[in-house]
Amino acid sequence: MIIKINKRHLIGLSFIICHISLSVALSGCADWSDHYEDEGSVAGANSTLWEQLQANPQLSDFCEVLRETKVFRMHKKTSVSYADLLSGGQSFTIVAPVNGSFDKAALLQQVQTAQGDSVVEKSFVQNHLMRALNSLQTTAYSARLLNSKRLTFEGSQIQGVNIIDANIHSKNGILHVAEAPMPYQRSIFENLCDLPEFSAIGNNLRYFEEDYFDADASVSSGIIEGVPIYVDSVVVERNRVLDKIGYVNAEDSTYWMVAPAGEGWERAYEEAKSHFTYDAKVLRSDSLQKLYATRALVDDAIYNMTLQSSPKDSLISVPYDRHHPEWHCFYKPFEPGGILSTATPIACSNGVLYKTAEWPFTPEQTYFKELWSEAESTWLITDEKDCTYSSRRIEADSISEGAYLRITPRTATSRWELAFRVNNTLSGNYDVCAIIAPPNVYSTTGLNYPNKFKATIDYIDEKGNKQSYDCGGQTFYNDPLRVDTVVLAENFHFPACSYGLDDIKTTVRLKCTMTSSDNQRYYREMYLDCIYLRPRSSKPE
């Protein structure tokens, strides 16, 4: 038996029982065990929900749709109809719309195809069925539908629709007769997938949907010839992008999302792809490009509203880290220039989708970030020559992460070299810099001499071949009286991306070039804060 669940909709035993019962139905719905009968059903109500529906002439259209709509399971249309389910032992609450209140012909035509049947099942049939027993009462409350959306019961109305006949009991549930269908409100994800202006985003996100076998949740019957055998196999639906950012495809959370329509998304996506161009020797380079370009655009576009303290003042996206508040926080979103200032809100079942003409960020605000290879992180050192080094801590705002690397020549005349790895470079332009602390950060000699050195940038081209740039052969000097940012290469182009890769693609090598005659003018020991890459916009400034 295979049980398929969405991991965001594990809402308790009733949900599991529903799926287990469905499996029984697939093998023979006419012979279900009595233990599926709900003890909450009213005694004396001898007819089933299906018999109640058929007995009401106002509900013949709804009955026909139920009879023709088949249960979808494991992405496949089964032979079990919703008429079969309502005739069996499972308990349901049904809100049934009367004849003439919906387009029966369109629904019956739609269920003739597998895809159409799936749509009718979720958006119409399951939008009128609940697993729990729910009666109309004076006190308002909400109930969960089979499609995981919620309805509000209040007085003589359900979700604002007048109920003609309420609380009709049967031996397997409760029936309410409504003057119109229950309104179906799309989730954020459904709007992205269903509305034509967002179809490119929806298609992108759907690409990352997959079924995952959850061995821990499955029931094993042992091992045969070294292979585990499962009585009940639990298959979890997941989305490799949304599961890491925000469940805008779920009904039990509240999110905001900002999304550009039509060509606005296409322009932003093509720009993002240009920054995630991997070299030809990287395995699955196209898939990595698609994954990270998509993440680049949606990571900061989705906001979990339970995490927001004051949405009008600022919005924080899921990657936000309070230790680095300069990233993933967007202030005054509704004011002129804010990310939502020109957006049109679209109400969704699990939040709000804000429609914009263009992606309301710049790459430099989101994914095309400054890169810091902290020199004190000695694991980033890929090569060294004629020197020793040690990490030093210091309390100073001008020193990044409160630490630096002391580089000491082995001898009084050593022309040392040290190479540092730079991770997660994108394909694009950067200013490549070395940030150097002055001698008085450590030395007590009182010699405020600059360093004298050269630099080389090693990188990978589009074909995956190693390339080297000697920074124009220039000799560099730092200001010995302050923490100095020395630009080694301005607007330097990296043709291939290394984002998310483990192997070394980019290094920056520093080489002391002092001679014996330089000892009275320059300092051979260096106090390196970090190697720093500053992104440069590809757009005209």
Side-chain angles (χ1 to χ4, degrees), residues 134-178:
N134 296 290
S135 299
L136 268 174
Q137 305 170 10
T138 304
T139 304
Y141 71 97
S142 68
R144 184 184 292 273
L145 290 159
L146 283 190
N147 60 12
S148 295
K149 297 183 186 296
R150 303 195 74 87
L151 293 179
T152 299
F153 284 64
E154 184 174 14
S156 61
Q157 293 186 330
I158 299 177
Q159 202 63 19
V161 177
N162 291 327
I163 301 303
I164 299 170
D165 200 353
N167 302 337
I168 305 169
H169 291 274
S170 70
K171 70 176 183 178
N172 66 335
I174 300 174
L175 169 64
H176 306 284
V177 180

Side-chain angles (χ1 to χ4, degrees), residues 391-462:
S391 298
R392 300 284 177 175
R393 304 293 306 178
I394 186 173
E395 294 297 328
D397 293 340
S398 56
I399 302 292
S400 68
E401 303 298 330
Y404 64 93
L405 188 73
R406 179 193 179 194
I407 306 170
T408 307
R410 290 190 185 276
T411 70
T413 59
S414 291
R415 303 178 73 176
W416 56 264
E417 296 183 28
L418 209 56
F420 295 87
R421 173 177 182 163
V422 180
N423 294 321
N424 296 323
T425 54
L426 301 190
S427 43
N429 292 10
Y430 294 88
D431 291 337
V432 180
C433 311
I435 300 181
I436 303 171
N440 63 14
V441 76
Y442 175 81
S443 175
T444 59
T445 62
L447 298 176
N448 290 324
Y449 293 159
N451 296 117
K452 178 183 179 184
F453 62 99
K454 288 192 174 185
T456 302
I457 302 170
D458 296 317
Y459 63 99
I460 300 295
D461 65 17
E462 301 97 321

Side-chain angles (χ1 to χ4, degrees), residues 189-207:
F189 184 70
E190 288 171 328
N191 274 314
L192 293 176
C193 294
D194 297 344
L195 297 182
E197 61 263 45
F198 298 116
S199 61
I201 307 176
N203 290 338
N204 245 37
L205 293 175
R206 272 183 167 161
Y207 173 84

Side-chain angles (χ1 to χ4, degrees), residues 33-301:
S33 300
D34 290 340
H35 72 265
Y36 286 114
E37 296 288 349
D38 194 293
E39 296 178 357
S41 297
V42 174
N46 296 319
S47 57
T48 66
L49 282 168
W50 180 242
E51 290 168 339
Q52 293 271 20
L53 290 167
Q54 287 185 306
N56 190 331
Q58 295 183 92
L59 304 179
S60 59
D61 287 355
F62 187 60
C63 287
E64 193 169 352
V65 173
L66 293 174
R67 189 184 300 112
E68 295 301 319
T69 304
K70 301 299 190 292
V71 174
F72 233 70
R73 185 168 175 271
M74 293 297 292
H75 303 301
K76 293 181 180 179
K77 184 178 180 179
T78 71
S79 61
V80 179
S81 73
Y82 276 85
D84 296 328
L85 291 183
L86 298 175
S87 299
Q90 298 181 71
S91 294
F92 295 95
T93 297
I94 304 177
V95 183
V98 297
N99 294 349
S101 65
F102 59 92
D103 191 342
K104 179 189 74 171
L107 294 172
L108 293 176
Q109 182 179 5
Q110 203 169 358
V111 298
Q112 300 309 308
T113 65
Q115 182 178 1
D117 186 274
S118 176
V119 172
V120 172
E121 178 190 40
K122 182 177 181 181
S123 64
F124 184 76
V125 174
Q126 291 186 346
N127 205 52
H128 293 85
L129 271 69
M130 288 150 273
R131 281 290 303 165
L133 299 179
N134 296 290
S135 299
L136 268 174
Q137 305 170 10
T138 304
T139 304
Y141 71 97
S142 68
R144 184 184 292 273
L145 290 159
L146 283 190
N147 60 12
S148 295
K149 297 183 186 296
R150 303 195 74 87
L151 293 179
T152 299
F153 284 64
E154 184 174 14
S156 61
Q157 293 186 330
I158 299 177
Q159 202 63 19
V161 177
N162 291 327
I163 301 303
I164 299 170
D165 200 353
N167 302 337
I168 305 169
H169 291 274
S170 70
K171 70 176 183 178
N172 66 335
I174 300 174
L175 169 64
H176 306 284
V177 180
E179 68 176 14
M182 295 297 99
Y184 182 86
Q185 189 174 41
R186 295 184 181 95
S187 67
I188 292 174
F189 184 70
E190 288 171 328
N191 274 314
L192 293 176
C193 294
D194 297 344
L195 297 182
E197 61 263 45
F198 298 116
S199 61
I201 307 176
N203 290 338
N204 245 37
L205 293 175
R206 272 183 167 161
Y207 173 84
F208 298 102
E209 291 181 337
E210 61 185 14
D211 293 337
Y212 167 73
F213 171 65
D214 190 342
D216 293 335
S218 301
V219 179
S220 174
S221 63
I223 298 176
I224 300 177
E225 296 181 354
V227 178
I229 304 299
Y230 294 92
V231 178
D232 288 327
S233 299
V234 176
V235 177
V236 179
E237 291 180 351
R238 66 182 184 184
N239 186 297
R240 290 188 294 124
V241 168
L242 295 179
D243 283 5
K244 295 182 182 298
I245 307 170
Y247 297 105
V248 296
N249 52 346
E251 298 289 344
D252 54 354
S253 300
T254 302
Y255 289 91
W256 285 3
M257 180 175 180
V258 55
E263 293 181 357
W265 165 267
E266 296 291 353
R267 282 188 288 269
Y269 183 63
E270 288 303 314
E271 182 173 19
K273 282 176 61 179
S274 73
H275 286 296
F276 290 93
T277 302
Y278 290 84
D279 69 74
K281 294 182 181 179
V282 173
L283 295 176
R284 301 182 298 107
S285 58
D286 289 346
S287 296
L288 288 175
Q289 182 185 40
K290 186 178 184 70
L291 171 63
Y292 289 126
T294 302
R295 286 287 305 269
L297 298 188
V298 299
D299 269 16
D300 284 309

